Every structure is written in structure tokens, then in C-alpha cells.
Amino acid sequence: MNKEPCFQPLSMYRRLGDPEMTARAREILDNLRRRRTVRDFSDEPVDRRIIEDCLLAAGTAPNGANLQPWHFAVVGSPEIKNRIRLAAEGEEREFYGRRATPQWLNALAPFGTGPEKPFLEIAPWLIVVFARTKDLHPDGSVGNTYYANESTGIATGMLITALHLAGLVTLTHTPSPMKFLNQILGRPSTERPFVLLVAGFPASGAQVPVISKKTLEEISSFH
């Protein structure tokens, strides 16, 4: 049964002057250029309220038909983090030992990665992002979601940005396959693990690989 559309005034938008827009855009660029993926985490606690607000920020992401097809499973329990690490490292040993092609391993070589993932236990928070491929309704019926992967990807990017702006560092971890996360976290089969996000403070003396980003001309075109 179709629902009638319901609208309200766009009251939260505020038009900025050109100088302020230019300054804000540059500030955002400078801030996000300082964001780096980190693998050396501190075990220093992070207030749960910070994580909650960043999740709410991610939840404002645009998405297909406003079905918000994501779920954020936040893990702070040492026992559950240990289970996730053991399962992830099992998949990673298979990846590095058998599944990965020489070309893939060559692409990963500059980052010095391997099967061992101690950050999964050291960092204070793991956020497992699930894409919800179906909606389970209270009456037991199942409905479709739309653009679940695209919507969850946008929300994940906004979450990473929010965590960075809040003063934390992150790592996107994608062991493959990731179905073990459904089992460990008790998530239904209608949800697909999208990414395992590690969040916290960097360890003292943390190092990151030397990398460069593509230029504006390489990543965009104006027509």
C-alpha cells in the first residue's frame, strides 16, 4: 500500500557567504589531509559517548528510500575482541598463504601487512558495519532494501570522517570472507558484513606508510 508523501520546510539549511564557504572548504581539506589509516593503536579508553555521537552522525547519511540499510555492531568486550581476532587471523592466514595473487601481495607490500592483527584486541573499540540486504518487519515479514551497499558505503565514509574530526584514528579491516562476524555478534543472515572499523588513539610512536594521493586532475574532470 503506497504511503502519501509528507514534506516540511528546509529550515536547517543556512546559506553562507562566498568568503566563509571558501574558508570552510579549505579547512575541511586541510583537516582531512591529516587523516591517516593507522595500525599501531593505544589501549587507552575512549568514552563511549564519543562513539555514539559519531554513529549518529553516520546515521544521517543519504540512502536508498530512507530505509537506512546499515547496522553498527560496536565491540568493547575483550572476550569478543579476542574471538574476532582469532577468526580474522584464520582468514588472513588463508589469504596471505593461498588466496592472494602475486599481484595483490605486491600491491600490499608497501604497507607491511600480514596475517597478524593485534590491533583487533589492543584498540578500545571495534565497529563492525553491516549492510542490511533485507528488512525484517515486526510481523515476521521480509521486505527489500535498496542500494544497500552504496548507502552503507556512504555511511561508513561519514563515520570515518566523524571519528577523525572527533580526534580518533581508524583502520578499515576487511578479512575475507567475513561471515564469522554474523555468528560472533549474533547478527541475522539478512545482514552482510561490510567492513570492520578499528577506532581509538594512536600508540605512542605510531608510524604510517609513506604514501601520496592523486592530484585533482587525476581524480576529477569538469565538463
Side-chain angles (χ1 to χ4, degrees):
M1 186 171 170
N2 293 332
K3 297 179 181 178
E4 288 295 322
C6 181
F7 294 90
Q8 63 183 8
L10 179 62
S11 59
M12 291 178 286
Y13 173 77
R14 182 172 68 89
R15 176 69 181 264
L16 305 176
D18 286 351
E20 185 175 359
M21 290 175 66
T22 301
R24 284 194 181 197
R26 176 57 61 173
E27 183 181 3
I28 291 168
L29 172 59
D30 291 342
N31 202 325
L32 290 182
R33 275 179 169 166
R34 291 192 289 272
R35 190 208 64 79
R36 288 300 306 270
T37 294
V38 170
R39 291 177 174 82
D40 297 328
F41 281 85
S42 166
D43 62 359
E44 182 180 351
V46 173
D47 192 322
R48 172 173 163 168
R49 291 172 296 182
I50 297 171
I51 303 299
E52 290 175 346
D53 280 345
C54 289
L55 293 174
L56 288 170
T60 68
N63 60 94
N66 196 37
L67 293 176
Q68 303 163 61
W70 48 66
H71 180 85
F72 304 105
V74 186
V75 181
S77 161
E79 293 77 15
I80 298 177
K81 287 195 290 184
N82 175 257
R83 291 178 63 192
I84 289 175
R85 178 184 178 181
L86 292 177
E89 288 184 340
E91 297 295 349
E92 292 289 77
R93 281 189 287 273
E94 281 290 309
F95 170 79
Y96 283 94
R98 297 175 53 189
R99 295 182 190 141
T101 64
Q103 293 86 351
W104 199 345
L105 293 175
N106 185 60
L108 290 172
F111 304 99
T113 59
E116 292 75 31
K117 309 297 180 185
F119 48 75
L120 292 175
E121 288 192 272
I122 295 172
W125 296 106
L126 306 181
I127 305 173
V128 182
V129 183
F130 289 89
R132 208 172 64 250
T133 57
K134 296 286 184 180
D135 260 338
L136 296 177
H137 299 151
D139 63 1
S141 62
V142 178
N144 292 325
T145 60
Y146 305 99
Y147 301 105
N149 288 338
E150 295 86 346
S151 301
T152 303
I154 295 170
T156 300
M158 291 178 64
L159 176 57
I160 292 170
T161 301
L163 291 165
H164 168 72
L165 294 177
L168 300 175
V169 296
T170 57
L171 167 70
T172 51
H173 182 44
T174 52
S176 181
M178 292 195 286
K179 275 295 185 182
F180 65 86
L181 291 168
N182 289 74
Q183 181 179 5
I184 292 174
L185 299 172
R187 301 310 305 170
S189 61
T190 52
E191 295 178 0
R192 183 180 63 80
F194 187 81
V195 67
L196 199 172
L197 191 63
V198 187
F201 294 109
S204 176
Q207 294 189 327
V208 295
V210 177
I211 62 172
S212 62
K213 295 295 185 180
K214 293 181 178 180
T215 65
L216 178 64
E217 291 72 23
E218 290 174 303
I219 67 171
S220 65
S221 60
F222 290 74
H223 302 273

XYZ file of all heavy atoms in Angstrom, residues 86-168:
637
model
N 40.922 -13.938 16.552
C 41.285 -15.306 16.193
C 40.646 -15.713 14.870
O 41.300 -16.325 14.005
C 40.860 -16.267 17.308
C 41.615 -16.133 18.637
C 41.031 -17.092 19.683
C 43.104 -16.399 18.449
N 39.383 -15.366 14.694
C 38.690 -15.723 13.445
C 39.259 -14.950 12.261
O 39.466 -15.506 11.175
C 37.193 -15.467 13.585
N 39.520 -13.655 12.462
C 40.054 -12.826 11.374
C 41.441 -13.290 10.974
O 41.762 -13.380 9.773
C 40.080 -11.360 11.804
N 42.278 -13.615 11.944
C 43.630 -14.065 11.616
C 43.617 -15.408 10.905
O 44.471 -15.682 10.049
C 44.491 -14.117 12.878
C 44.867 -12.745 13.403
C 45.790 -12.776 14.600
O 45.873 -13.835 15.289
O 46.431 -11.748 14.867
N 42.627 -16.252 11.215
C 42.495 -17.504 10.488
C 42.238 -17.264 9.009
O 42.845 -17.898 8.136
N 41.336 -16.327 8.708
C 41.055 -15.988 7.313
C 42.258 -15.306 6.660
O 42.556 -15.543 5.482
C 39.828 -15.073 7.219
C 38.534 -15.697 7.701
C 38.087 -16.871 6.846
O 38.659 -17.096 5.759
O 37.163 -17.586 7.283
N 42.939 -14.481 7.417
C 44.089 -13.770 6.862
C 45.240 -14.715 6.531
O 45.957 -14.513 5.542
C 44.557 -12.687 7.842
C 43.584 -11.536 8.023
C 43.508 -10.656 6.790
O 42.852 -11.056 5.803
O 44.099 -9.569 6.800
N 45.434 -15.745 7.354
C 46.486 -16.731 7.030
C 46.176 -17.444 5.725
O 47.067 -17.721 4.917
C 46.648 -17.716 8.190
C 47.473 -17.161 9.356
C 47.794 -18.236 10.369
N 46.629 -18.614 11.151
C 46.247 -18.002 12.275
N 46.952 -16.977 12.726
N 45.182 -18.398 12.924
N 44.881 -17.736 5.508
C 44.475 -18.347 4.248
C 44.715 -17.373 3.090
O 45.169 -17.773 2.012
C 42.994 -18.726 4.298
C 42.716 -20.009 5.063
C 43.224 -21.236 4.312
O 42.898 -21.380 3.122
O 43.975 -22.017 4.914
N 44.415 -16.100 3.316
C 44.576 -15.094 2.266
C 46.036 -14.943 1.875
O 46.392 -15.044 0.692
C 44.019 -13.750 2.744
C 44.345 -12.593 1.838
C 43.625 -12.396 0.674
C 45.378 -11.711 2.146
C 43.928 -11.326 -0.175
C 45.681 -10.648 1.305
C 44.957 -10.460 0.144
N 46.895 -14.687 2.862
C 48.301 -14.458 2.553
C 49.014 -15.734 2.105
O 49.966 -15.678 1.330
C 49.017 -13.855 3.766
C 48.734 -12.385 3.952
C 47.712 -11.960 4.804
C 49.462 -11.424 3.274
C 47.431 -10.607 4.971
C 49.194 -10.064 3.435
C 48.182 -9.665 4.287
O 47.898 -8.328 4.443
N 48.539 -16.877 2.583
C 49.207 -18.125 2.251
C 48.726 -18.792 0.977
O 49.496 -19.493 0.303
N 47.432 -18.561 0.604
C 46.875 -19.304 -0.521
C 46.031 -18.491 -1.487
O 46.105 -18.680 -2.695
C 46.019 -20.464 0.015
C 46.792 -21.494 0.826
C 45.862 -22.519 1.421
N 44.993 -23.145 0.425
C 43.976 -23.944 0.716
N 43.676 -24.186 1.972
N 43.250 -24.475 -0.242
N 45.191 -17.599 -0.968
C 44.188 -16.964 -1.822
C 44.720 -15.788 -2.633
O 44.295 -15.564 -3.758
C 43.012 -16.473 -0.975
C 42.220 -17.578 -0.288
C 41.057 -16.977 0.470
N 40.417 -17.964 1.335
C 39.959 -17.717 2.549
N 40.083 -16.490 3.054
N 39.383 -18.654 3.270
N 45.604 -15.004 -2.062
C 46.043 -13.766 -2.707
C 46.936 -14.062 -3.908
O 47.814 -14.919 -3.853
C 46.786 -12.891 -1.705
N 46.708 -13.340 -4.991
C 47.556 -13.461 -6.166
C 48.875 -12.724 -5.924
O 48.958 -11.835 -5.062
C 46.865 -12.853 -7.389
O 46.692 -11.440 -7.170
C 45.516 -13.509 -7.642
N 49.922 -13.055 -6.683
C 51.191 -12.317 -6.546
C 51.008 -10.819 -6.763
O 51.649 -10.004 -6.089
C 52.073 -12.939 -7.627
C 51.534 -14.324 -7.804
C 50.056 -14.205 -7.603
N 50.121 -10.440 -7.699
C 49.898 -9.025 -7.955
C 49.290 -8.328 -6.741
O 49.642 -7.190 -6.408
C 48.963 -8.851 -9.165
C 49.575 -9.304 -10.476
C 49.394 -10.802 -10.734
O 48.938 -11.546 -9.840
N 49.739 -11.242 -11.937
N 48.349 -9.029 -6.083
C 47.708 -8.452 -4.900
C 48.722 -8.297 -3.768
O 48.788 -7.253 -3.103
C 46.549 -9.348 -4.473
C 45.547 -8.669 -3.585
C 45.695 -7.499 -2.913
C 44.233 -9.133 -3.279
N 44.570 -7.197 -2.191
C 43.648 -8.185 -2.399
C 43.496 -10.249 -3.643
C 42.375 -8.342 -1.886
C 42.221 -10.388 -3.130
C 41.669 -9.448 -2.269
N 49.515 -9.313 -3.551
C 50.531 -9.243 -2.496
C 51.546 -8.149 -2.796
O 52.023 -7.464 -1.879
C 51.226 -10.595 -2.355
C 50.354 -11.745 -1.816
C 51.130 -13.047 -1.831
C 49.856 -11.434 -0.409
N 51.867 -7.961 -4.066
C 52.799 -6.907 -4.444
C 52.210 -5.531 -4.159
O 52.911 -4.616 -3.714
C 53.143 -7.034 -5.932
C 54.201 -6.030 -6.349
O 55.309 -6.027 -5.821
N 53.877 -5.178 -7.306
N 50.900 -5.375 -4.389
C 50.240 -4.103 -4.103
C 50.223 -3.802 -2.604
O 50.262 -2.639 -2.184
C 48.817 -4.123 -4.660
N 50.151 -4.859 -1.782
C 50.107 -4.689 -0.326
C 51.492 -4.518 0.293
O 51.610 -4.058 1.437
C 49.422 -5.902 0.318
C 47.918 -6.049 0.074
C 47.434 -7.393 0.604
C 47.142 -4.908 0.707
N 52.528 -4.880 -0.442
C 53.878 -4.893 0.116
C 54.310 -3.570 0.756
O 54.931 -3.575 1.828
C 54.877 -5.322 -0.967
N 54.019 -2.403 0.155
C 54.469 -1.146 0.775
C 53.875 -0.872 2.153
O 54.373 -0.006 2.876
C 54.011 -0.073 -0.230
C 53.853 -0.789 -1.523
C 53.370 -2.160 -1.146
N 52.803 -1.597 2.515
C 52.139 -1.343 3.796
C 52.612 -2.278 4.903
O 52.223 -2.120 6.059
C 50.622 -1.448 3.617
C 50.105 -0.534 2.544
C 49.833 -1.017 1.281
C 49.929 0.813 2.803
C 49.378 -0.168 0.278
C 49.477 1.669 1.804
C 49.199 1.180 0.539
N 53.433 -3.266 4.555
C 53.994 -4.156 5.569
C 52.970 -4.948 6.335
O 53.178 -5.277 7.511
N 51.854 -5.293 5.702
C 50.805 -6.027 6.403
C 51.041 -7.529 6.323
O 51.766 -8.025 5.464
C 49.426 -5.703 5.808
O 49.417 -6.046 4.415
C 49.115 -4.222 5.956
N 50.402 -8.256 7.233
C 50.497 -9.702 7.279
C 49.305 -10.280 8.012
O 48.359 -9.553 8.339
N 49.324 -11.575 8.302
C 48.161 -12.215 8.935
C 47.901 -11.775 10.376
O 46.776 -11.900 10.853
C 48.507 -13.706 8.883
C 49.604 -13.832 7.883
C 50.355 -12.548 7.922
N 48.916 -11.293 11.075
C 48.739 -10.940 12.487
C 48.042 -9.590 12.613
O 48.458 -8.603 12.011
C 50.100 -10.895 13.203
C 50.768 -12.251 13.347
C 51.358 -12.758 12.038
O 51.791 -11.914 11.213
O 51.345 -13.983 11.816
N 46.984 -9.561 13.418
C 46.182 -8.355 13.585
C 46.006 -8.016 15.071
O 44.892 -8.031 15.611
C 44.804 -8.535 12.926
C 44.869 -9.023 11.476
C 45.558 -8.028 10.546
C 45.608 -8.548 9.116
N 46.380 -7.658 8.219
N 47.081 -7.674 15.769
C 46.956 -7.388 17.212
C 46.066 -6.201 17.521
O 45.489 -6.122 18.614
C 48.412 -7.125 17.640
C 49.119 -6.741 16.371
C 48.464 -7.529 15.289
N 45.929 -5.271 16.564
C 45.100 -4.085 16.813
C 43.649 -4.451 17.098
O 42.918 -3.672 17.714
C 45.174 -3.112 15.636
C 44.981 -3.745 14.279
C 43.727 -4.138 13.838
C 46.068 -3.950 13.450
C 43.557 -4.717 12.594
C 45.912 -4.525 12.191
C 44.647 -4.918 11.774
N 43.221 -5.634 16.673
C 41.835 -6.040 16.923
C 41.560 -6.252 18.413
O 40.401 -6.233 18.838
C 41.510 -7.321 16.147
C 41.476 -7.171 14.622
C 41.256 -8.527 13.959
C 40.391 -6.192 14.191
N 42.611 -6.460 19.191
C 42.447 -6.581 20.648
C 42.935 -5.353 21.390
O 42.440 -5.045 22.473
C 43.192 -7.809 21.152
C 42.556 -9.129 20.781
C 43.155 -10.296 21.547
O 44.166 -10.856 21.054
O 42.636 -10.636 22.618
N 43.909 -4.638 20.807
C 44.508 -3.505 21.513
C 43.588 -2.290 21.502
O 43.389 -1.633 22.537
C 45.869 -3.148 20.886
C 46.854 -4.306 21.091
C 46.420 -1.863 21.493
C 48.166 -4.125 20.346
N 43.025 -1.957 20.344
C 42.187 -0.754 20.230
C 40.965 -0.878 21.134
O 40.427 -1.974 21.320
C 41.759 -0.553 18.781
N 40.499 0.230 21.696
C 39.365 0.154 22.625
C 38.047 -0.223 21.965
O 37.179 -0.805 22.611
C 39.294 1.561 23.222
C 39.981 2.442 22.223
C 41.046 1.593 21.602
N 37.873 0.117 20.680
C 36.590 -0.134 20.029
C 36.768 -0.754 18.643
O 37.614 -0.317 17.861
C 35.795 1.164 19.869
C 35.397 1.814 21.162
C 35.935 2.936 21.725
C 34.369 1.381 22.058
N 35.311 3.224 22.907
C 34.333 2.290 23.144
C 33.463 0.315 22.058
C 33.451 2.173 24.214
C 32.575 0.196 23.115
C 32.575 1.105 24.170
N 35.953 -1.746 18.363
C 35.764 -2.255 17.012
C 34.329 -1.942 16.613
O 33.402 -2.154 17.394
C 35.991 -3.775 16.946
C 37.316 -4.328 17.472
C 37.349 -5.850 17.306
C 38.493 -3.678 16.771
N 34.155 -1.422 15.412
C 32.812 -1.140 14.894
C 32.632 -1.970 13.637
O 33.261 -1.694 12.613
C 32.617 0.354 14.586
C 32.941 1.213 15.820
C 31.189 0.608 14.112
C 32.939 2.713 15.541
N 31.799 -2.996 13.729
C 31.537 -3.838 12.568
C 30.319 -3.276 11.855
O 29.229 -3.218 12.419
C 31.305 -5.304 12.973
C 31.088 -6.161 11.723
C 32.493 -5.831 13.776
N 30.524 -2.842 10.628
C 29.447 -2.244 9.840
C 28.814 -3.341 8.984
O 29.502 -4.012 8.212
C 29.972 -1.104 8.950
C 28.818 -0.452 8.200
C 30.738 -0.077 9.779
N 27.515 -3.511 9.142
C 26.760 -4.487 8.355
C 25.862 -3.750 7.367
O 25.249 -2.735 7.714
C 25.882 -5.364 9.251
C 26.630 -6.340 10.099
C 27.087 -5.979 11.366
C 26.861 -7.633 9.656
C 27.768 -6.878 12.163
C 27.544 -8.544 10.446
C 27.996 -8.172 11.699
N 25.783 -4.276 6.148
C 24.813 -3.792 5.169
C 23.593 -4.698 5.235
O 23.719 -5.921 5.113
C 25.418 -3.803 3.765
N 22.435 -4.112 5.449
C 21.213 -4.889 5.592
C 20.582 -5.110 4.217
O 20.069 -4.191 3.593
C 20.236 -4.156 6.522
C 19.288 -5.078 7.268
C 18.485 -4.346 8.319
N 17.605 -3.353 7.739
C 17.770 -2.030 7.863
N 18.785 -1.557 8.541
N 16.913 -1.189 7.310
N 20.630 -6.332 3.731
C 20.130 -6.642 2.390
C 18.623 -6.871 2.370
O 18.003 -6.791 1.310
C 20.839 -7.883 1.844
O 20.639 -8.984 2.757
C 22.337 -7.637 1.719
N 18.030 -7.158 3.517
C 16.583 -7.329 3.649
C 16.135 -6.690 4.959
O 16.911 -6.605 5.915
C 16.185 -8.810 3.648
C 16.476 -9.555 2.352
C 15.503 -9.172 1.257
C 15.747 -9.989 -0.006
N 14.795 -9.632 -1.104
N 14.887 -6.266 4.994
C 14.307 -5.721 6.220
C 13.422 -6.768 6.882
O 12.529 -7.334 6.230
C 13.469 -4.480 5.905
C 14.205 -3.193 6.198
O 15.150 -3.227 7.010
O 13.847 -2.158 5.615
N 13.658 -7.035 8.142
C 12.806 -7.932 8.915
C 11.782 -7.085 9.666
O 12.128 -6.291 10.533
C 13.641 -8.750 9.903
C 14.664 -9.718 9.286
C 15.471 -10.409 10.384
C 13.960 -10.754 8.429
N 10.505 -7.239 9.321
C 9.454 -6.442 9.941
C 8.969 -7.091 11.238
O 9.119 -8.314 11.432
C 8.293 -6.278 8.959
C 8.689 -5.573 7.708
N 8.080 -5.788 6.496
C 9.653 -4.637 7.474
C 8.640 -5.027 5.566
N 9.596 -4.323 6.139
N 8.388 -6.309 12.145
C 7.917 -6.860 13.422
C 6.926 -8.012 13.270
O 6.856 -8.885 14.127
C 7.242 -5.644 14.089
C 7.938 -4.462 13.504
C 8.229 -4.841 12.090
N 6.152 -8.028 12.176
C 5.179 -9.104 11.994
C 5.789 -10.372 11.383
O 5.075 -11.322 11.066
C 4.016 -8.628 11.116
C 4.472 -8.250 9.700
O 5.680 -8.380 9.391
O 3.618 -7.813 8.909
N 7.129 -10.351 11.205
C 7.805 -11.523 10.663
C 7.994 -11.507 9.161
O 8.691 -12.367 8.624
N 7.387 -10.554 8.473
C 7.543 -10.478 7.025
C 8.901 -9.872 6.673
O 9.554 -9.223 7.497
C 6.414 -9.638 6.418
O 6.463 -8.305 6.913
N 9.303 -10.093 5.426
C 10.603 -9.628 4.961
C 10.397 -8.660 3.805
O 9.626 -8.938 2.873
C 11.484 -10.811 4.506
C 12.823 -10.315 3.977
C 11.711 -11.785 5.663
N 11.051 -7.508 3.864
C 10.957 -6.515 2.799
C 12.314 -6.239 2.193
O 13.364 -6.559 2.773
N 12.312 -5.651 1.018
C 13.553 -5.321 0.336
C 14.163 -4.033 0.884
O 13.462 -3.161 1.392
C 13.300 -5.129 -1.165
C 12.927 -6.429 -1.851
O 13.427 -7.489 -1.498
N 12.042 -6.346 -2.832
N 15.478 -3.935 0.767
C 16.161 -2.654 0.906
C 16.725 -2.311 -0.470
O 16.819 -3.178 -1.338
C 17.299 -2.706 1.945
O 18.274 -3.682 1.529
C 16.773 -3.069 3.322
N 17.104 -1.056 -0.655
C 17.548 -0.613 -1.970
C 18.880 0.124 -1.854
O 19.070 0.933 -0.955
C 16.489 0.293 -2.610
C 15.137 -0.392 -2.676
C 14.155 -0.131 -1.711
C 14.863 -1.343 -3.653
C 12.930 -0.775 -1.752
C 13.633 -1.996 -3.694
C 12.676 -1.714 -2.747
O 11.478 -2.355 -2.766
N 19.790 -0.209 -2.757
C 21.127 0.393 -2.753
C 21.802 0.213 -1.390
O 22.390 1.151 -0.843
C 21.054 1.879 -3.126
C 20.452 2.122 -4.491
C 19.147 2.602 -4.612
C 21.182 1.858 -5.647
C 18.588 2.809 -5.871
C 20.622 2.070 -6.908
C 19.327 2.543 -7.013
O 18.790 2.751 -8.246
N 21.710 -0.994 -0.871
C 22.262 -1.242 0.468
C 23.771 -1.022 0.512
O 24.292 -0.411 1.451
C 21.917 -2.658 0.927
N 24.491 -1.533 -0.484
C 25.942 -1.381 -0.483
C 26.351 0.082 -0.631
O 27.240 0.571 0.084
C 26.561 -2.214 -1.601
C 26.513 -3.695 -1.298
O 26.411 -4.099 -0.149
N 26.579 -4.516 -2.321
N 25.720 0.768 -1.579
C 26.060 2.172 -1.789
C 25.740 3.010 -0.549
O 26.553 3.845 -0.121
C 25.286 2.722 -2.995
C 25.666 2.084 -4.319
C 24.915 0.809 -4.642
O 24.269 0.233 -3.732
O 24.970 0.380 -5.807
N 24.567 2.780 0.027
C 24.153 3.550 1.209
C 25.082 3.283 2.383
O 25.495 4.218 3.092
C 22.713 3.190 1.577
O 21.820 3.466 0.513
N 25.426 2.022 2.598
C 26.305 1.672 3.715
C 27.706 2.211 3.496
O 28.379 2.625 4.449
C 26.333 0.145 3.909
O 24.995 -0.328 4.105
C 27.174 -0.244 5.111
N 28.137 2.246 2.237
C 29.444 2.825 1.944
C 29.498 4.304 2.273
O 30.483 4.800 2.835
N 28.427 5.035 1.925
C 28.377 6.461 2.249
C 28.388 6.657 3.764
O 29.125 7.498 4.299
C 27.126 7.108 1.628
C 27.208 7.055 0.096
C 26.979 8.553 2.094
C 25.913 7.440 -0.594
N 27.583 5.873 4.484
C 27.523 5.989 5.944
C 28.872 5.662 6.574
O 29.290 6.307 7.551
C 26.436 5.073 6.503
N 29.567 4.674 6.028
C 30.875 4.312 6.563
C 31.873 5.441 6.364
O 32.667 5.761 7.267
C 31.390 3.029 5.892
O 30.472 1.960 6.145
C 32.757 2.640 6.419
N 31.845 6.067 5.190
C 32.730 7.201 4.961
C 32.448 8.346 5.919
O 33.377 8.988 6.438
N 31.170 8.593 6.183
C 30.811 9.654 7.120
C 31.234 9.287 8.540
O 31.641 10.154 9.326
C 29.317 9.939 7.039
C 28.923 10.592 5.726
S 27.145 10.927 5.532
C 26.863 12.123 6.831
N 31.163 8.000 8.885
C 31.603 7.554 10.213
C 33.106 7.750 10.377
O 33.574 8.236 11.414
C 31.215 6.090 10.420
C 31.684 5.428 11.720
C 31.184 6.197 12.939
C 31.224 3.970 11.774
N 33.872 7.363 9.370
C 35.327 7.546 9.432
C 35.667 9.019 9.583
O 36.534 9.406 10.378
C 35.984 6.949 8.172
C 35.843 5.429 8.178
C 37.458 7.357 8.083
C 36.237 4.768 6.869
N 34.966 9.874 8.828
C 35.203 11.317 8.917
C 34.842 11.846 10.296
O 35.588 12.640 10.886
C 34.386 12.051 7.837
O 34.780 11.565 6.548
C 34.619 13.548 7.903
N 33.702 11.404 10.834
C 33.285 11.862 12.160
C 34.295 11.453 13.233
O 34.644 12.256 14.111
C 31.900 11.299 12.491
N 34.773 10.226 13.172
C 35.755 9.762 14.156
C 37.046 10.564 14.051
O 37.669 10.912 15.059
C 36.022 8.273 13.956
C 34.856 7.336 14.318
C 35.089 5.945 13.745
C 34.661 7.264 15.828
N 37.453 10.863 12.817
C 38.661 11.668 12.623
C 38.482 13.066 13.203
O 39.353 13.577 13.926
C 38.989 11.743 11.131
C 40.032 12.770 10.799
N 41.365 12.614 11.124
C 39.933 13.986 10.182
C 42.054 13.678 10.718
N 41.207 14.517 10.146
N 37.349 13.698 12.897
C 37.108 15.047 13.383
C 36.960 15.082 14.903
O 37.200 16.117 15.534
C 35.862 15.634 12.720
C 35.969 15.863 11.203
C 34.637 16.374 10.644
C 37.086 16.835 10.876
N 36.584 13.943 15.504
C 36.470 13.859 16.961
C 37.824 13.628 17.630
O 37.907 13.632 18.860
C 35.509 12.739 17.351
N 38.882 13.410 16.826
C 40.211 13.258 17.393
C 40.707 11.835 17.498
O 41.707 11.572 18.177
N 40.044 10.896 16.820
C 40.443 9.496 16.866
C 41.064 9.073 15.534
O 40.961 9.781 14.532
C 39.233 8.612 17.174
C 38.528 8.896 18.499
C 37.277 8.043 18.632
C 39.466 8.669 19.684
